Amino acid sequence: MIVSQLAGLAAQAAPAFDPEAATRAYLATLDGVARDRSDAYFEGSYWLILVNLAVSLGIAALLLQTGFAKGLRDRLAAVLKWRWATTMGFVAVYIAVTAVLAFPLTVYEGFFREHAFGLSTMSFAGWFGETLMQLAINVIMGAILLSIVYAVIRAARRTWWLWATGVSVFFLALMIFVSPVYIAPLFNDYTPLEEGELRDDILSMAHANGIPADDVYVFDVSRQSNRITANVSGLMGTMRISLSDTLVENTDRDEVLAVMGHEMGHYTLNHLWEMFTLFAVILAVGFAFTNATFNWANRRFGGRWGISGIGDIAGLPLLMACLSVYFFLATPVMNTVIRTNEAEADIFGLNAAREPDGFATTALRLSSYRKIEPGALEEWVFFDHPSGRARVSMAMQWKAGQLEAGAADQTPELRLERAEAIAADVAETATD
């Protein structure tokens, strides 16, 4: 009783805290060159969505109109005899050929553009090696998945799109299960975070929120990028708490805890299972859309394509083109689903870590490659995470609530000096 009265008096004596003014103060630190750079990078990605669609449709048209697809099918069928082997062989060649044809765009997006904005730390040889490794994984996994999908298409016919959805979601779950243990270590080294206060704080927060973790891992993102990242990934026995070395080395303790609280939110709020369900619905609609548009396009334009139906593996370029159009049109829906989960994880992270200023300055750090203050329509269409402004505002609203409630561990002062330093770093990378 006495403690609560003292807390109330302390809250009354404290200077008024205006969350909107605090938000504006944080955003004002990112101005001029830093903001222009951030906006230019992120807005450029809007056009790249359209460019990627155009390239994928162009490649599909090339493979179909030149007779490459039907010729490859016929040659493989003559050599391999078994239909499943023909399908796997076709998928493997298709993925490799499309990767070669799209390579100019890939190297621009993945290497030159990242270097132009000061985000990549890789040499071309290192980047190219990892790109080849990822291509090999895509060939193997794609051949397995699409062989099963085509078997389903031929067996189920009219309802193939429902069964293919189930197969795809199961395959996705399998990949999430094996990725932390078998795939992620191919690209980065994972080592236990050294014992100390930070490791203890992360594990304490995990245990307090029902996450069965007994260690924390650091992976060397700095070999590829200067971005900060973290995750609580995997399923069941492969669940792992990981944070990038860039997060450990380039941020303060409160920022690390804010990020980890967010990532733990995804796990505790069962976002992975929720995303499985939502992805299944979106993918089922996409397969139904593909079924209709494939048949229409084949009837309308397929005189030279030699495709007998949607179950014909020679029609894979057309099938992928139809899916590309669907996911392009579904961009706002997909982004809204993901952004909603990210906002929920933000709120969870604030409550778990109780570091609103660390959360705010982390949002500023992320502005090095995310536009910090978009328009409402712009955010709805293009953002798969809440904007920086939305995140800083959420943190300051949370802080205001804590101060109003008389929380003793919260102070109204902002970390503006740190925010200004972050803005300076963002601006500096733009001129390097």
Side-chain angles (χ1 to χ4, degrees), residues 20 56 69 111-112 120 148 159 161 179 187 197 210 229-230 233 256 258 282 329 338 355 405:
E20 180 58 29
S56 65
F111 185 78
F112 290 113
S120 177
I148 298 173
T159 59
W161 51 278
S179 181
F187 298 92
E197 182 181 1
T229 186
S233 59
V256 174
I282 293 171
L329 297 175
I338 298 170
E355 297 288 356

Side-chain angles (χ1 to χ4, degrees), residues 46-57:
Y46 304 163
W47 291 105
L48 286 174
I49 297 173
L50 184 60
V51 170
N52 275 277
L53 174 65
V55 169
S56 65
L57 294 180

Side-chain angles (χ1 to χ4, degrees), residues 188-247:
N188 295 100
D189 294 328
Y190 285 72
T191 56
L193 177 63
E194 63 181 20
E195 294 186 5
E197 182 181 1
L198 181 60
R199 176 183 178 276
D200 293 343
D201 287 343
I202 293 173
L203 286 176
S204 294
M205 186 161 55
H207 297 158
N209 290 285
I211 299 176
D214 54 13
D215 210 343
V216 180
Y217 292 88
V218 179
F219 57 108
D220 55 344
V221 164
S222 59
R223 65 188 289 185
Q224 292 121 352
S225 170
N226 53 32
R227 304 183 192 216
I228 59 174
T229 186
N231 57 74
V232 179
S233 59
L235 291 172
M236 296 174 286
T238 65
M239 194 280 295
R240 172 180 285 179
I241 296 177
S242 307
L243 58 161
S244 66
D245 57 349
T246 51
L247 179 63

